[in-house]
Amino acid sequence: MVAASSGNTFAKEIAIRKRISNIFNKREEDFPSLRDYNDYLEEVEDMTFNLIEGIDVAAIEAKIVKYQEENAEQIINARARKAEELAAAMKASMGNPAQAEPSDMGIGHTAQGQYAPALPGGGLAQPRPTGMQPVPVGGPHDPSHSYGAEDEETVKLRAARAGGWTVELSKKRALEEAFSSIWI
């Protein structure tokens, strides 16, 4: 019962947030200052929270209707701008980066349309090398060595070392714990 009710609450919150974001869709560049934009975001979040929690719903719904009437053109323009950006992103993901405008979201595309993270200077990161095998912690892999024949202690030590454990680390921790427990 609890899981079902939390799922319904989550679905309700998602629906409310989606509805509100489609109506209150202004961006930072739509405001004269960052302070005005942050005040707008705070007001929208307060209304969203109150709708989710069922606080003063009638007054908030009236405020939403009034806002929609007063800002209908701006809402439509913002939705169109969002649709254009989505279309450009879709073109870029389909392998047509020349037709799409560059995104300032830190994501670039290679000539084949594959994802490559963008570097701060605007270039693309180097691709990961392929065909290389990881080197085991104990040194280069010796094909004649059978890992299956190791005793249990060696297997545990190898796993611990792979996780970053060292004998020196163990000694240091034991000393810190011993001295931290001394009461003066």
Side-chain angles (χ1 to χ4, degrees):
M1 178 78 179
V2 174
S5 105
S6 69
N8 291 339
T9 304
F10 183 71
K12 174 185 171 186
E13 180 174 348
I14 296 297
I16 289 172
R17 287 192 179 280
K18 186 175 181 179
R19 176 177 166 240
I20 294 297
S21 69
N22 282 329
I23 297 168
F24 295 91
N25 52 12
K26 290 185 179 180
R27 297 182 178 183
E28 184 177 349
E29 60 263 14
D30 297 330
F31 292 90
S33 70
L34 180 61
R35 176 68 182 190
D36 291 339
Y37 178 61
N38 286 335
D39 289 344
Y40 168 79
L41 291 178
E42 186 173 351
E43 181 181 0
V44 170
E45 183 58 30
D46 287 342
M47 287 189 303
T48 303
F49 176 81
N50 288 343
L51 284 174
I52 292 168
E53 296 298 320
I55 301 169
D56 205 15
V57 175
I60 294 171
E61 290 294 341
K63 190 173 187 177
I64 291 171
V65 168
K66 181 180 177 187
Y67 180 86
Q68 282 180 307
E69 290 171 357
E70 293 173 354
N71 298 292
E73 185 176 337
Q74 178 272 324
I75 292 170
I76 292 170
N77 289 340
R79 286 180 185 166
R81 179 174 54 189
K82 187 175 182 181
E84 288 171 358
E85 290 170 355
L86 181 60
M90 296 271 297
K91 281 183 183 179
S93 70
M94 302 280 282
N96 299 327
Q99 296 175 359
E101 294 183 19
S103 171
D104 60 346
M105 295 172 29
I107 298 174
H109 294 275
T110 63
Q112 296 84 18
Q114 297 173 347
Y115 168 81
L119 297 175
L124 296 177
Q126 294 293 322
R128 288 183 79 175
T130 57
M132 297 179 64
Q133 295 296 320
V135 178
V137 175
H141 178 66
D142 181 8
S144 65
H145 181 75
S146 171
Y147 288 114
E150 294 178 339
D151 61 22
E152 188 175 332
E153 284 297 315
T154 307
V155 171
K156 286 182 182 178
L157 181 61
R158 182 178 304 279
R161 287 180 54 206
W165 178 87
T166 62
V167 174
E168 292 78 26
L169 182 65
S170 177
K171 289 177 185 177
K172 181 179 176 187
R173 182 174 177 184
L175 284 172
E176 287 177 357
E177 287 179 356
F179 285 112
S180 68
S181 63
I182 297 175
W183 291 79
I184 299 179

